[in-house]
Amino acid sequence: MRKSIATVSLSGSLSEKLTAVAAAGFDGVEIFENDLIAGPLSPEEVRARAADLGLSIDLYQPFRDAEAVPEEVFARTLRRAERKFAVMERLGADLLLVCSSVSPDAVDDDALAAEQLHRLAERAAGHGVRIAYEALAWGRHVDTYDHAWRIVEAADHPALGTCLDSFHILSRGSDPRGIESIPGEKIFFLQLADAPRIALDVLQWSRHYRCFPGQGDFDVASLVGHAVRAGYTGPLSLEVFNDVFRQGDAGRTAVDAMRSLRWLEESAGLTEPPAPVVPASFAFAELVTADTEPLRVLLQSLGFSRTGRHATKPVDLWQQGEARVLLSSAGAGRRDGATLAALGLETPDQKGAVLRAESLLAPVVPRRRAPGDAPLDAVAAPDGTELFFCCTEPESGTGWTADFAPGPAEAREPAGITRIDHVALPQPWHQFDEASLFYRSVLGLDPHESLDLPDPFGLLRSRAVSNPEGTLRIALNVAPGPGERDERPQHIALATDDIIATARRVREHGAGLLPIPDNYYDDLEARYDLAPNTLAALRESGILYDRDEYGEFHHCYTVTVGRVFFELVQRTGGYRGYGAQNALVRLAAQHTAERGRPSR
């Protein structure tokens, strides 16, 4: 289907928005009236600019407070409409969005609303314009799509149809199945937006928190399916009001929007792009730093052994069980301190994963390969982390580990670490929703509930994504706004089957674990009926505790090196979370450690 987007969804001038929309591959745009009014380009110039870029102008919007008003008020409405119709003729737009009235002049009279909309449509037809009537979720008397359709049906004018908006429908909890009873030719336009489920006034919810489909919690795909089954053949158009999007780069936002629509078409069964290749686990995590010594010491203290050196690059392979960490000094000059720069993802179909990524506008990262290097392809996540599609077959010698020749032994007694449990990647504040959609659409990972966690500096927003088996988990974290806290630490969580024994061995090997205040354990004793010896062991090792309906979670942390620290975790009984309720304690302890003050 054709793809369109409202200019209100992007930042910048109208000309800049049109350029970004065309570059992302859209077919058309909705012109938001404020963008035209505030810009220097005449309607004729906007029309020419859109045509030069290959864009149609699919909708002009919004026209407000038109129907069910006293006759003297409606006379002024018609005068206003005539001038808008003239602008639309100059602009080359033939469809006007009319929102259900919020005016105090409006009365609760469907017959009057239908009669006045008929008259408005008659005037519009004289200019070659059609009217798409939309129910605002906060409309004074008309606030549901089925109510709006009954008025359109009663008005009975060929130039009058309805506009369906997924936010207005789903935010009110309306059943979208009724869309299929509307004749397809009377659905003049379909506007799409997602949103997180939050308890908020619907107007403020709409104005500030809409997002692209796949980034929120609404089932937009099912709504699209109902519209298509009703016979709708117009464009899929995005209309998103979002404070973050309107401050970000328009080109990047437009690409994110196109990725959303492609994913949405697939989810609604309208297209069949290359299927997602869901990664099975982590093959490795790559740390990059100019000075590798602090991380080398920390890895040894965690019980890792250096098992190989890359044949052509300054990269060492450290391993313990199935947990592999690459320690690299390549390209460290462009980063501050130690950084988690790349993840290897165990991928059953590497070529298929590449095709999927490219179909969703995630191009493969160019790489220089020496003769004999494993043919690994990578894509860049929104925060710049490189994601490698890997196959680890150390015994066959055909996997990526074959690039690493045995080097000088640097072995330590293992500490009981078995694999990488999850990684946490802080996201730039304006790319959090983009990242959520990226991992969901490109990699086929399942998004979890979005959480707001207390932080010594305010709130930390977090959303995890994982494969269905829970063998690959990524936590995406972000502060609620821009500022100095954007550069939060990254961390790698390492699984163990006996965290108390692992923590003891790590301390014996010389690693400093993050001190946790005694106050935490006093509170833990009050909240949970833990055996005294268990509580004493947790207190001694600085281990935090959580439980859910599925099981228990124990975890503790190393000190931070550069931007990176390690977490040791033990899941028992199928625990599914990440110890979110302990986030404040960890963050406060890290803040204290950064300031060099004792936390006990």
Side-chain angles (χ1 to χ4, degrees):
M1 300 178 73
R2 296 180 66 256
K3 299 176 180 64
S4 185
I5 186 170
T7 56
V8 73
S9 308
L10 307 170
S11 66
S13 67
L14 181 53
S15 181
E16 291 167 337
K17 295 179 182 189
L18 294 177
T19 300
V21 167
F26 282 88
D27 303 298
V29 291
E30 303 176 34
I31 299 293
F32 195 68
E33 185 175 59
N34 289 353
D35 286 322
L36 180 67
I37 292 172
L41 301 181
S42 69
E44 291 84 0
E45 289 171 324
V46 172
R47 178 179 187 170
R49 178 62 178 154
D52 288 344
L53 292 169
L55 297 171
S56 59
I57 298 178
D58 296 328
L59 184 75
Y60 187 67
Q61 63 127 328
F63 190 83
R64 303 182 188 277
D65 300 328
E67 82 285 7
V69 293
E71 186 59 32
E72 65 273 14
V73 176
F74 188 65
R76 295 196 296 271
T77 297
L78 290 177
R79 176 183 176 278
R80 177 165 53 98
E82 286 285 353
R83 281 150 181 80
K84 296 304 177 184
F85 297 150
V87 169
M88 292 177 64
E89 287 184 284
R90 297 168 62 195
L91 194 60
D94 64 0
L95 185 62
L96 176 67
L97 177 68
V98 174
C99 304
S100 62
S101 180
V102 298
S103 170
D105 293 325
V107 296
D108 188 8
D109 186 336
D110 285 5
L112 178 61
E115 187 268 334
Q116 291 181 342
L117 285 175
H118 182 101
R119 290 163 62 189
L120 183 65
E122 187 68 20
R123 293 286 189 97
H127 295 268
V129 170
R130 297 178 303 149
I131 301 294
Y133 181 56
E134 172 189 68
L136 293 178
W138 53 90
R140 182 171 177 83
H141 300 296
V142 179
D143 55 12
T144 63
Y145 79 93
D146 50 342
H147 190 176
W149 163 239
R150 290 197 300 271
I151 293 173
V152 168
E153 188 176 29
D156 191 23
H157 194 286
L160 178 67
T162 188
C163 173
L164 301 175
D165 183 302
S166 65
F167 179 84
H168 294 305
I169 295 171
L170 299 176
S171 65
R172 293 192 58 85
S174 298
D175 187 348
R177 289 179 294 183
I179 291 171
E180 296 191 32
S181 65
I182 303 174
E185 67 274 9
K186 297 300 284 185
I187 303 175
F188 280 5
F189 210 70
L190 182 60
Q191 291 181 317
L192 304 170
D194 204 339
R197 293 198 179 278
I198 50 179
L200 194 68
D201 170 78
V202 69
L203 177 58
Q204 297 303 313
W205 191 11
S206 170
R207 286 287 180 260
H208 302 285
Y209 296 99
R210 294 197 202 190
C211 52
F212 295 133
Q215 296 176 340
D217 299 318
F218 290 165
D219 187 359
V220 183
S222 290
L223 185 145
V224 170
H226 293 308
V228 171
R229 285 190 289 276
Y232 177 71
T233 58
L236 302 178
S237 190
L238 297 170
E239 186 201 34
V240 170
F241 297 85
N242 186 296
D243 297 340
V244 174
F245 292 178
R246 285 183 282 193
Q247 297 177 61
D249 175 74
R252 183 168 191 147
T253 302
V255 170
D256 189 31
M258 178 57 73
R259 179 180 297 128
S260 168
L261 280 183
R262 291 187 180 186
W263 173 84
L264 181 64
E265 283 186 309
E266 177 189 26
S267 301
L270 305 179
T271 61
E272 294 185 8
V277 181
V278 182
S281 61
F282 292 103
F284 63 80
E286 181 175 7
L287 303 176
V288 175
T289 178
D291 180 9
T292 60
E293 183 61 17
L295 279 174
R296 185 187 68 83
V297 171
L298 181 56
L299 287 170
Q300 284 186 323
S301 300
L302 289 169
F304 280 80
S305 297
R306 189 175 73 171
T307 59
R309 176 83 172 180
H310 197 281
T312 61
K313 301 171 184 175
V315 182
D316 290 328
L317 171 60
W318 293 78
Q319 187 166 348
Q320 183 174 183
E322 295 300 314
R324 303 177 191 87
V325 176
L326 303 185
L327 188 53
S328 170
S329 60
R334 57 186 174 89
R335 298 181 172 90
D336 296 326
T339 301
L340 177 55
L343 295 171
L345 308 178
E346 291 286 357
T347 307
D349 179 2
Q350 295 161 278
K351 291 183 179 179
V354 170
L355 292 174
R356 172 71 177 186
E358 291 179 325
S359 74
L360 288 163
L361 306 178
V364 174
V365 176
R367 293 187 64 232
R368 292 182 179 178
R369 293 192 182 96
D373 282 0
L376 295 182
D377 288 314
V379 296
D383 66 347
T385 302
E386 294 184 355
L387 306 175
F388 286 85
F389 302 124
C390 296
C391 178
T392 303
E393 298 179 353
E395 295 181 0
S396 68
T398 60
W400 64 271
T401 55
D403 288 349
F404 291 82
E410 289 192 39
R412 281 292 180 96
E413 176 190 358
I417 290 166
T418 58
R419 60 183 180 84
I420 296 176
D421 180 87
H422 67 273
V423 299
L425 300 174
Q427 302 297 305
W429 72 280
H430 56 292
Q431 293 172 10
F432 182 81
D433 289 325
E434 179 185 357
S436 178
L437 174 63
F438 176 91
Y439 286 98
R440 182 180 192 176
S441 61
V442 176
L443 299 183
L445 299 179
D446 298 327
H448 297 214
E449 180 184 4
S450 182
L451 304 174
D452 287 331
L453 307 175
D455 177 292
F457 296 93
L459 286 176
L460 174 72
R461 186 180 177 196
S462 181
R463 187 170 203 173
V465 293
S466 70
N467 63 8
E469 300 78 18
T471 52
L472 185 138
R473 300 179 173 96
I474 299 174
L476 307 171
N477 302 325
V478 69
E484 62 178 357
R485 300 300 296 176
D486 279 354
E487 289 298 302
R488 292 173 179 269
Q490 307 158 309
H491 80 262
I492 303 170
L494 304 169
T496 175
D497 294 328
D498 187 343
I499 194 168
I500 293 177
T502 296
R504 182 177 64 251
R505 291 172 191 161
V506 167
R507 290 198 310 274
E508 291 171 353
H509 290 168
L513 295 178
L514 186 70
I516 302 299
D518 280 337
N519 295 335
Y520 169 78
Y521 296 98
D522 294 340
D523 178 68
L524 195 64
E525 184 177 16
R527 287 188 292 119
Y528 297 112
D529 185 20
L530 298 175
N533 61 331
T534 299
L535 187 64
L538 299 181
R539 188 191 301 264
E540 178 186 2
S541 297
I543 297 172
L544 297 98
Y545 176 85
D546 189 29
R547 67 170 62 153
D548 62 16
E549 59 184 300
Y550 305 100
E552 296 178 304
F553 189 63
H554 298 78
H555 55 141
C556 59
Y557 303 91
T558 71
V559 296
T560 302
V561 176
R563 289 189 61 205
V564 177
F565 64 92
F566 291 90
E567 179 183 10
L568 304 175
V569 308
Q570 180 182 353
R571 299 175 184 268
T572 56
Y575 176 90
R576 296 184 180 182
Y578 300 82
Q581 70 171 357
N582 295 324
L584 173 62
V585 177
R586 186 261 294 175
L587 290 164
Q590 287 178 324
H591 176 60
T592 300
E594 289 173 5
R595 300 299 185 271
R597 294 192 296 268
S599 61
R600 290 182 184 262

